Amino acid sequence: MNNPINKLGSSASNIFYQDGSYKKLSKLKNKSEYDAIVKGIEILEKYSNENIQMPKSIKYEEIDDFPHIIYEQDSLEPWISPEWITGLQLHSLGMTLLKQQQKLIENGLCFVDARPENYWLAVQNGRLIDLASIKTLNNQNLLSF
């Protein structure tokens, strides 16, 4: 694998690219965060599967005594940087995000760290790629949306 892309958001992550796929490792607080992400993926797939990039694989693992979610997704091309998004695309993406957030809230979950970078922008209405941004519903997580 190549050098990881490190990012900080709702959780610290490392992202590796290899053979047409991205492998993403995100540090979690506990196993229940993993369970919430998996439940959220299932809800969003059932509700709007065209607006979520499903993982090729997903697992829970303890690394250096910290819980992690590890998942792999196909690389999506072309990649469109958020600074290239038009007003119309931003509106469509915002509507998708709000509809997905509503579905998650109805099931005791929510997004944190909502932003265009968490979506593949080359398709109508965007497709969620940052699966680790799904968390349990509480005031802190909802406010960080």
Side-chain angles (χ1 to χ4, degrees):
M1 285 191 230
N2 67 352
N3 293 331
I5 299 167
N6 299 305
K7 76 177 200 73
L8 295 174
S10 56
S11 60
S13 301
N14 290 321
I15 304 170
F16 302 89
Y17 180 79
Q18 183 180 22
D19 300 326
S21 294
Y22 283 98
K23 186 173 185 179
K24 303 176 182 184
L25 294 83
S26 293
K27 188 184 277 188
L28 306 172
K29 292 179 187 172
N30 51 47
K31 172 88 167 46
S32 66
E33 280 195 338
Y34 169 82
D35 296 334
I37 294 167
V38 170
K39 179 181 174 185
I41 292 168
E42 292 169 356
I43 290 164
L44 294 178
E45 179 188 28
K46 183 178 176 183
Y47 169 68
S48 64
N49 69 339
E50 71 277 0
N51 297 116
I52 181 171
Q53 182 65 24
M54 295 301 293
K56 293 168 57 172
S57 64
I58 187 167
K59 68 180 180 175
Y60 174 84
E61 190 172 311
E62 296 277 337
I63 301 173
D64 296 328
D65 296 324
F66 289 100
H68 284 76
I69 184 171
I70 302 170
Y71 62 97
E72 186 176 350
Q73 292 171 307
D74 287 327
S75 176
L76 299 172
E77 301 294 335
W79 187 257
I80 298 174
S81 296
E83 57 268 10
W84 288 89
I85 192 169
T86 67
L88 181 59
Q89 287 172 306
L90 187 58
H91 179 267
S92 295
L93 176 60
M95 295 306 294
T96 296
L97 204 151
L98 290 172
K99 289 175 185 175
Q100 289 176 327
Q101 177 78 323
Q102 181 62 41
K103 213 30 104 168
L104 291 173
I105 288 172
E106 290 169 4
N107 289 277
L109 303 168
C110 69
F111 283 130
V112 296
D113 192 28
R115 54 197 165 114
E117 290 94 331
N118 291 348
Y119 285 78
W120 183 44
L121 303 173
V123 293
Q124 184 72 23
N125 303 323
R127 184 178 297 161
L128 177 67
I129 57 167
D130 185 2
L131 305 179
S133 66
I134 300 169
K135 304 289 183 192
T136 56
L137 180 61
N138 62 40
N139 284 340
Q140 179 180 348
N141 288 343
L142 191 57
L143 287 174
S144 70
F145 168 66

